[in-house]
Amino acid sequence: MSSTKSSVNSRHRPISKDANAPGHPVYGVTLSPESIEDMASTGWPGSKIESIKPLEAGKSFNNKIYFLKIRHPALGVQDSVLKVNGTLYDGDKVQNEVACLRLLELYCPEVPAPRVMAWSEAGTQATFVSPNHAETKALGEGSAGNTAGWILTSRLPGKPVSTADLDAAAISSLAAQLADIVASWRQRIPFQKHGGSMQIRSTVTDNEGIALDRPCGPGIPDLVIRGILVEEMKLTDPITRIHDYYRLKLDNKLQLLESVDILERNRHLLEPLRKLRDERLLELSFSDIFTQTGTPADTFVFTHYDLFPRNILVSGESPPRVTGIVDWEFSGFFAPMDEFLDDWLDAGDWPEAFYTTFLKALEEKGVATPVGGVPGDGWHVAYWLERTIESAAPWWLLPGSLSAEQNEKALEKAESVVKEMLGNLGIV
C-alpha cells in the first residue's frame, strides 16, 4: 500500500500549549476583517458582516474560530461560524469536514449538526453552497495573502455540556438524546468498504469509489475515502481490511518512535511492536465484532470520533436539551468499535454514570456496544490494540510542553501500558 505520509508527524514539532505563544497551532493564524468581508461579499453579493467575534484564546487547539453575523439581502441576519485551519493540518481537513457534514445532511437531517455554507481549501478561492447550487469563486483583493483553509457553517444554539452540572435526571435525559443521535448515523449512513477520512476533490482514480445510494449534492465533484487525517496519514491506496487499518496505524507509530527524539527512552519497545504488526496482527480475528455489530466483514462505520462534552451543545435546564453536535473535522469511516474506543480510552471526560447509561440506551436501539452487544474477545482485542497504538508514540507528549521529569514519568507510564497490552495480545 503506497503512502505519501511524511516520516515525522507535524504534531511532533515543538508545540506550545499557550495559544498566545509561538509554536501553538493557532499562533499568528488570523483572517482580517477585510478578508472576512471579502469572503461574504464574493459569495453573496450585497451581504454585509455585522459583527465578528473571535473565540477566546485557549478554547480551540487546531483552529482559529470566529463567530459572525452576516446580513444577507434576502435572508436577513444569519449567525455563522468561521473555522480557520491552524498550522498542523492542510486543506484535506476542510474537505473531510465538508464531506461529513454533507452526509449527515443527506442521511440524518434531524441530527443537530452545522450546515455548510462555504469552504476554502487554501484561502485563494472558495466554494459557496445552497441546498441546490454550488459555485466556486476566486476571492478578491481583500483575501490576498491568506493561504489557510477554512469552513463557514451555520451556528447552532446552546453551550458545551458542563459535566459538573449534571444530576441524575440530566444524565438520564442527555444519554437518551445522544443515543438517539448516534444511532441515527450508525444505522442510516451506509457502511463503507474503505476506511479513513474523506476527500471531495481527489486526484485519486478509484473505480470503486464510495458506496452511497444518493448523490452527495452540489459542490462535491468527487468523493473518496483515503488516509487517516487525525494520524496525518496520507494514502494513495484505500484501506480495505481491518487488519490493514490497524497495521497502518501501528506502522505510523513505529515511524514516530524511531524518529522523534523525545520518544527515544521507549525505543526498546520497537522489536515487540514490530512483532505485533508483522506477525501477531494477522493471527487476530475480528469476526466477533462484525458479527455482533451486524456490520458486514471488513467494512467501516461512520464515526464522529470526538464525542466529548466540549462538542455537545445543550440548551435549557431540567433537563437540558441537545441542540448541537460540533467538531466533525476528524470524523469519517472507521472500525465498528472506534466510536466507543476513543471515548473509553479518554475516560474521565464524561461521568461514568453518563457513559454507561448512554451505551445501554444505544443497545436498546439496536447498536451493539461494549456493555452488552460486543462481549468477549472481540471488544478486548480492539481495546488492547488501540491502547497499544495510543501509547506507542503518545501524541500528548508535545515537545517543549513538559519538563524533563514530567516527560520521563509520562514515557514510563506509556511503556507500562504498552507492555501490559502486548502481553494481553500474546506478545511476550
Side-chain angles (χ1 to χ4, degrees), residues 332-343:
F333 290 93
F334 301 106
M337 288 291 99
D338 273 18
E339 191 82 88
F340 313 119
L341 284 164
D342 197 44
D343 297 342

Side-chain angles (χ1 to χ4, degrees), residues 81-390:
V81 179
L82 178 63
K83 183 158 68 171
V84 185
N85 272 0
T87 57
L88 291 183
Y89 296 96
D90 58 17
D92 285 355
K93 182 165 76 70
V94 173
Q95 291 192 33
N96 184 64
E97 186 160 16
V98 168
C100 290
L101 291 175
R102 176 68 73 183
L103 290 182
L104 286 165
E105 189 173 354
L106 290 172
Y107 286 94
C108 310
E110 76 287 350
V111 168
R115 295 293 184 256
V116 177
M117 300 168 62
W119 72 87
S120 174
E121 287 101 312
T124 55
Q125 64 179 20
T127 300
F128 300 88
V129 294
S130 63
N132 300 307
H133 178 71
E135 186 173 359
T136 299
K137 302 179 180 180
L139 296 171
E141 293 183 0
S143 297
N146 173 48
T147 59
W150 51 260
I151 179 172
L152 180 71
T153 69
S154 59
R155 184 177 181 181
L156 300 174
K159 59 183 180 180
V161 169
S162 173
T163 56
D165 298 334
L166 298 180
D167 57 20
I171 284 176
S172 178
S173 176
L174 286 178
Q177 292 177 60
L178 190 58
D180 276 338
I181 293 168
V182 173
S184 175
W185 70 62
R186 285 185 73 90
Q187 294 171 336
R188 295 186 189 178
I189 298 179
F191 305 134
Q192 297 298 313
K193 55 191 171 183
H194 299 166
S197 307
M198 287 178 280
Q199 298 174 1
I200 59 176
R201 301 186 194 280
S202 176
T203 58
V204 174
T205 300
D206 184 352
N207 294 327
E208 296 176 323
I210 188 169
L212 301 176
D213 59 9
R214 63 198 71 177
C216 285
I220 300 182
D222 193 10
L223 183 61
V224 298
I225 302 174
R226 284 294 186 280
I228 303 176
L229 186 64
V230 72
E231 301 288 354
E232 299 180 77
M233 293 168 55
K234 291 179 178 287
L235 305 174
T236 56
D237 295 335
I239 301 173
T240 58
R241 298 194 315 142
I242 295 294
H243 285 89
D244 291 333
Y245 175 72
Y246 287 116
R247 178 179 58 80
L248 285 163
K249 294 210 297 183
L250 274 167
D251 189 55
N252 183 55
K253 297 298 186 182
L254 284 167
Q255 290 187 52
L256 290 173
L257 186 55
E258 289 175 312
S259 58
V260 177
D261 290 342
I262 202 169
L263 303 176
E264 182 178 6
R265 179 204 181 278
N266 284 0
R267 285 187 184 151
H268 61 283
L269 298 172
L270 283 169
E271 182 177 352
L273 286 168
R274 290 188 185 116
K275 185 175 182 180
L276 171 62
R277 178 196 62 185
D278 299 334
E279 300 175 22
R280 180 65 178 135
L281 185 59
L282 292 174
E283 300 169 351
L284 298 175
S285 173
F286 300 98
S287 58
D288 283 351
I289 287 179
F290 291 114
T291 300
Q292 292 156 359
T293 59
T295 310
D298 279 321
T299 58
F300 300 86
V301 181
F302 187 80
T303 303
H304 183 279
Y305 215 74
D306 203 3
L307 282 176
F308 299 116
R310 62 182 176 269
N311 293 325
I312 311 300
L313 306 183
V314 296
S315 297
E317 299 177 359
S318 301
R321 178 172 56 90
V322 176
T323 52
I325 298 182
V326 298
D327 202 359
W328 298 85
E329 59 193 20
F330 298 126
S331 304
F333 290 93
F334 301 106
M337 288 291 99
D338 273 18
E339 191 82 88
F340 313 119
L341 284 164
D342 197 44
D343 297 342
W344 195 283
L345 291 174
D346 290 311
D349 289 76
W350 288 110
E352 183 178 353
F354 179 96
Y355 196 61
T356 302
T357 304
F358 164 64
L359 294 181
K360 288 180 178 177
L362 275 173
E363 291 276 353
E364 293 171 358
K365 299 178 188 305
V367 177
T369 77
V371 301
V374 188
D377 287 345
W379 162 251
H380 292 146
V381 167
Y383 175 73
W384 296 333
L385 277 171
E386 282 298 334
R387 290 216 68 189
T388 302
I389 291 166
E390 180 189 60

Side-chain angles (χ1 to χ4, degrees), residues 26-33 35-36 54 64 66 84-85 145-148:
V26 299
Y27 178 79
V29 173
T30 185
L31 279 189
S32 67
S35 295
I36 296 173
K64 179 75 172 184
Y66 300 90
V84 185
N85 272 0
N146 173 48
T147 59

Side-chain angles (χ1 to χ4, degrees), residues 33-94:
E34 293 78 15
S35 295
I36 296 173
E37 287 278 5
D38 177 65
M39 173 267 291
S41 61
T42 299
W44 303 279
S47 64
K48 296 290 184 181
I49 300 293
E50 291 203 344
S51 68
I52 302 172
K53 181 181 179 181
L55 181 67
E56 61 185 281
K59 293 292 187 179
S60 179
F61 185 75
N62 288 313
N63 309 282
K64 179 75 172 184
I65 294 177
Y66 300 90
F67 299 112
L68 310 180
K69 287 187 179 292
I70 305 176
R71 180 173 291 280
H72 298 272
L75 302 176
V77 176
Q78 185 167 8
D79 289 324
S80 308
V81 179
L82 178 63
K83 183 158 68 171
V84 185
N85 272 0
T87 57
L88 291 183
Y89 296 96
D90 58 17
D92 285 355
K93 182 165 76 70
V94 173

